[in-house]
Amino acid sequence: MASQTEENYLKALLSLSYNKEDVTISELSNFLRVRLPTVNSMVKKLKKQGLVNYEKYRPLSLTPEGKMQAALILRKHRLTEMYLVEKMGFGWEEVHEIAEQVEHINSSAFFERMDEQMGHPATDPHGSPIPDKNGNIALNKQLRLSEAKKGSHVRLAAIVNGTSEFLSFLNRKELNLGTAINVLEIEPFDKSISVSYANHEFEILSHEVCNRIYIEILDESITGTKQ
Amino acid sequence: MASQTEENYLKALLSLSYNKEDVTISELSNFLRVRLPTVNSMVKKLKKQGLVNYEKYRPLSLTPEGKMQAALILRKHRLTEMYLVEKMGFGWEEVHEIAEQVEHINSSAFFERMDEQMGHPATDPHGSPIPDKNGNIALNKQLRLSEAKKGSHVRLAAIVNGTSEFLSFLNRKELNLGTAINVLEIEPFDKSISVSYANHEFEILSHEVCNRIYIEILDESITGTKQ
DNA sequence: ATATAATGTTAGATTAGTCTAACAATAAGT
DNA sequence: ACTTATTGTTAGACTAATCTAACATTATAT
C-alpha cells in the first residue's frame, strides 16, 4: 500500500488533472507546498510503482491504476466529510482538516460502514461527487453561478475550493446546498450579481463568490425577461 | 506534538507500567516488536522532551507529563472503540485495529463530539476505563473470574488483553460485558471452573480464560454453601 | 534568434525511525 | 566469587521524505 505521503501526491495529481490531462511538476510542488526536487524524486518513485506516466522534462499524468488509487482515497475523504456532517453534527466548514487525516485510515470496513449508515450518499457536504468503490467519479456540475443568466432560477448545487473561510461566509449569508436562488440583475462593471433566495430578498454577490458556486438551472427565466 | 511513533512508545509505556513503576527497555522492545537499539535511542529522545525518566542502564518510567500525554492517547483510543461499537455497529472484537489508527488523529473536536454523542461513557467496549480529559484514569476492576469463590454470583465487568480471537471466543460462548454468572464448581486439578449464565445452563471455562476476565461480585454465595 | 525567465534535474545534506554487529554492564546460577 | 546469560549501549548503515545549491533544459519575449 502507498504511504500517506504517496497517497497525498496521488490525490493532488487527481485534483490537478481534473479536466486537463497533464500536470507539471511545479504545479504539484505549488499545490503540495513542497520543493521541486522533492516532487521530482517522489514522481520518479511513483513512476517506478506504475502509478504515474512520466519522462524527464515532460509533464506527468496518472496511470489508470494511479487514478483508481487516487479516486479511492478521494472516496474515503468525501465519505468522511459527509459522515462528520450527517452523523456527528459538524458544519461543512469544519470537516476538511479532519477528513484529511481520516482518509488515510486503512480499513475498508470502517468506510463501508459509514457509507451504509448514510444510505450511500452521492455527494459530500459541499456537493462534490463521492467516487464509487471502483474509483469511478461522476461528472461534477459544470455551470457556475457566475455564468447564470439574468432572470434565471437556479439551485446551489456545489462549492468548489471551499476553504473554511468561504464556507463560513456562505453560512453567514444562509446560502446552503440546495438553496433556490433568483438571479435578479447582473452588474456588467464588476460582474457582481444581485439575487434573492429564501428569506433574503436582496443580496449582492461578487464575481469571486459566484465563480466558486456551482448551480443547477431550475428555470431559465421567471421574470418574463426571457433570454 | 509527539509523532505517531512517539505516541505509540508513550502508550506502550503506560500500558507496561500499569501497577508497576518501572519498565525495562527490553520489555518495551518486546511489546512494540522493535529492536533494542531502536528503543534505546527513542527513549533518549523522549527523555530530552521531558516525557520519560531515564538513566543509562536503569529502568525507565513516564514523567507526569508523559503519563498525561499517554493517558490522553488512551482516551482517544477507547472513545473510538466505544464509538465504533455503539454508533457504527462493529463487534467488540473488530475495533482495536481501527482505533489503533484513529487514536492518532489530531482534532480534539472530533473526539469530544464522539464523547458527547455517547453521553460520556465511563468504559470502552471491553470494560476498560476511558481516561478523562485531564488524563486521570479510574482504577480498573481488580478481581478476576479465576479468583471467584465457588457458589458466588458475579458479573462480567471487563476483559484484559482482549485479542480479537479471545473476544470471538467469548462471542461464541455468548459471554458479554454485564453477563451475570454463577460459579458452580472449581476443579482443583486444572483450575477450570464450571458456570451457568443466561441461557447457558452449564459451561466449563479454562483457567486461561478465567484469568482474562474481570468481574464484579453480585453475591458471595447463592447456593447456600456459604463460605 | 537570441537573451532571459521559468521550469526541471542532480548532487548532497538532514531528520526520523528503523536495522545489524560489536561491545559493555548488570543479573543469575552454581 | 566467578562464569555465563541477559540486558543495554554504541557505532554505523539504510529508507523515506524533506531541504538547498548548482546546473540543465525548455519556454517566452522582444
Side-chain angles (χ1 to χ4, degrees):
Chain A
M1 181 145 18
S3 70
Q4 279 198 200
T5 310
E6 287 167 340
E7 289 193 347
N8 285 336
Y9 277 81
L10 292 177
K11 201 161 50 100
L13 277 166
L14 181 65
S15 163
L16 289 170
S17 58
Y18 180 70
N19 72 37
K20 181 182 76 155
E21 259 305 272
D22 292 338
V23 177
T24 66
I25 291 214
S26 58
E27 282 173 317
L28 246 190
S29 163
N30 229 284
F31 188 90
L32 291 169
R33 331 285 9 246
V34 152
R35 298 294 179 188
L36 278 167
T38 309
V39 175
N40 186 269
S41 63
M42 180 56 89
V43 162
K44 286 180 188 168
K45 199 169 162 189
L46 294 173
K47 177 196 163 78
K48 208 171 284 175
Q49 295 174 247
L51 301 172
V52 305
N53 304 117
Y54 164 69
E55 296 304 330
K56 254 193 188 183
Y57 292 108
R58 298 257 76 87
L60 55 145
S61 59
L62 287 166
T63 62
E65 173 61 21
K67 193 167 183 178
M68 154 88 115
Q69 285 196 23
L72 292 178
I73 301 158
L74 189 60
R75 171 175 168 80
K76 295 199 287 179
H77 181 96
R78 291 184 173 166
L79 276 173
T80 302
E81 287 196 338
M82 199 59 167
Y83 189 90
L84 290 169
V85 168
E86 287 231 320
K87 298 291 182 184
M88 297 187 76
F90 282 97
W92 67 351
E93 78 286 0
E94 303 179 277
V95 296
H96 183 75
E97 284 69 25
I98 302 177
E100 206 67 10
Q101 300 178 66
V102 174
E103 71 189 4
H104 299 294
I105 284 173
N106 178 15
S107 163
S108 35
F110 183 55
F111 295 100
E112 290 320 309
R113 199 57 64 93
M114 283 187 193
D115 190 33
E116 281 162 29
Q117 291 202 337
M118 295 187 289
H120 312 287
T123 71
D124 76 8
H126 315 106
S128 297
I130 296 174
D132 71 19
K133 289 184 202 177
N134 303 312
N136 300 118
I137 312 178
L139 253 291
N140 225 324
K141 294 290 166 289
Q142 292 297 351
L143 200 65
R144 296 167 130 109
L145 182 52
S146 52
E147 298 158 308
K149 290 181 193 143
K150 171 176 171 177
S152 61
H153 189 206
V154 304
R155 182 172 35 212
L156 199 161
I159 305 300
V160 264
N161 299 326
T163 60
S164 65
E165 290 72 30
F166 181 53
L167 294 166
S168 295
F169 164 81
L170 295 176
N171 285 345
R172 289 194 297 277
K173 293 285 184 190
E174 296 186 288
L175 280 165
N176 306 309
L177 237 53
T179 299
I181 302 172
N182 300 310
V183 179
L184 305 174
E185 287 293 342
I186 302 175
E187 168 58 50
F189 172 63
D190 64 358
K191 294 181 192 150
S192 67
I193 70 175
S194 51
V195 295
S196 69
Y197 56 91
N199 49 355
H200 291 243
E201 302 214 337
F202 185 80
E203 288 281 358
I204 295 177
L205 302 174
S206 72
H207 183 68
E208 194 186 336
V209 164
C210 296
N211 226 355
R212 288 156 166 258
I213 294 176
Y214 279 124
I215 56 169
E216 272 167 26
I217 293 178
L218 296 174
D219 191 346
E220 285 280 1
S221 168
I222 53 164
T223 59
T225 339
K226 200 143 194 171
Q227 231 247 56
Chain B
M1 181 146 16
S3 69
Q4 279 198 202
T5 310
E6 287 167 340
E7 289 193 346
N8 285 335
Y9 277 81
L10 292 177
K11 201 160 52 99
L13 276 166
L14 181 65
S15 164
L16 289 170
S17 59
Y18 181 71
N19 71 39
K20 181 182 75 153
E21 259 306 273
D22 292 339
V23 177
T24 65
I25 292 216
S26 57
E27 281 172 318
L28 246 190
S29 163
N30 229 284
F31 187 90
L32 291 169
R33 331 279 19 241
V34 152
R35 298 295 179 186
L36 277 168
T38 309
V39 174
N40 186 272
S41 63
M42 181 55 89
V43 162
K44 286 179 188 169
K45 198 170 165 188
L46 294 172
K47 176 196 163 77
K48 208 170 286 177
Q49 295 175 246
L51 301 172
V52 306
N53 304 117
Y54 165 70
E55 296 303 329
K56 253 193 187 181
Y57 293 110
R58 298 256 77 88
L60 55 145
S61 59
L62 287 166
T63 63
E65 174 60 23
K67 193 167 182 179
M68 153 88 113
Q69 286 195 22
L72 292 178
I73 302 158
L74 189 60
R75 172 177 168 80
K76 295 198 286 178
H77 181 97
R78 290 182 174 167
L79 276 174
T80 301
E81 286 196 338
M82 200 58 167
Y83 189 90
L84 290 169
V85 168
E86 288 231 319
K87 298 291 181 183
M88 297 187 74
F90 283 96
W92 67 351
E93 78 286 0
E94 303 180 276
V95 297
H96 183 75
E97 283 69 24
I98 302 177
E100 206 67 10
Q101 300 179 65
V102 174
E103 71 189 3
H104 299 294
I105 284 173
N106 179 14
S107 163
S108 36
F110 182 56
F111 296 100
E112 290 320 308
R113 198 58 62 94
M114 283 187 193
D115 190 33
E116 282 161 29
Q117 291 202 338
M118 294 187 290
H120 312 288
T123 72
D124 77 7
H126 316 106
S128 297
I130 297 175
D132 71 18
K133 290 184 202 177
N134 303 312
N136 300 118
I137 312 177
L139 253 290
N140 226 325
K141 294 288 167 290
Q142 292 298 351
L143 200 65
R144 296 167 129 109
L145 182 51
S146 51
E147 298 159 306
K149 290 182 193 142
K150 171 176 169 177
S152 60
H153 188 206
V154 304
R155 183 174 34 212
L156 199 161
I159 305 300
V160 265
N161 298 327
T163 60
S164 66
E165 290 71 31
F166 181 54
L167 294 166
S168 295
F169 164 82
L170 295 176
N171 284 346
R172 288 194 297 276
K173 293 285 185 190
E174 294 186 289
L175 279 166
N176 306 309
L177 235 53
T179 298
I181 301 172
N182 301 309
V183 180
L184 305 174
E185 286 292 343
I186 302 176
E187 169 58 51
F189 172 64
D190 64 358
K191 295 182 193 147
S192 66
I193 71 175
S194 50
V195 295
S196 70
Y197 57 90
N199 49 355
H200 291 245
E201 303 214 337
F202 185 80
E203 288 281 358
I204 295 176
L205 302 175
S206 71
H207 183 68
E208 193 186 337
V209 164
C210 297
N211 227 355
R212 290 156 165 257
I213 295 175
Y214 278 123
I215 57 170
E216 271 166 27
I217 293 178
L218 297 174
D219 191 346
E220 284 283 0
S221 168
I222 52 163
T223 58
T225 340
K226 202 145 194 170
Q227 232 249 56

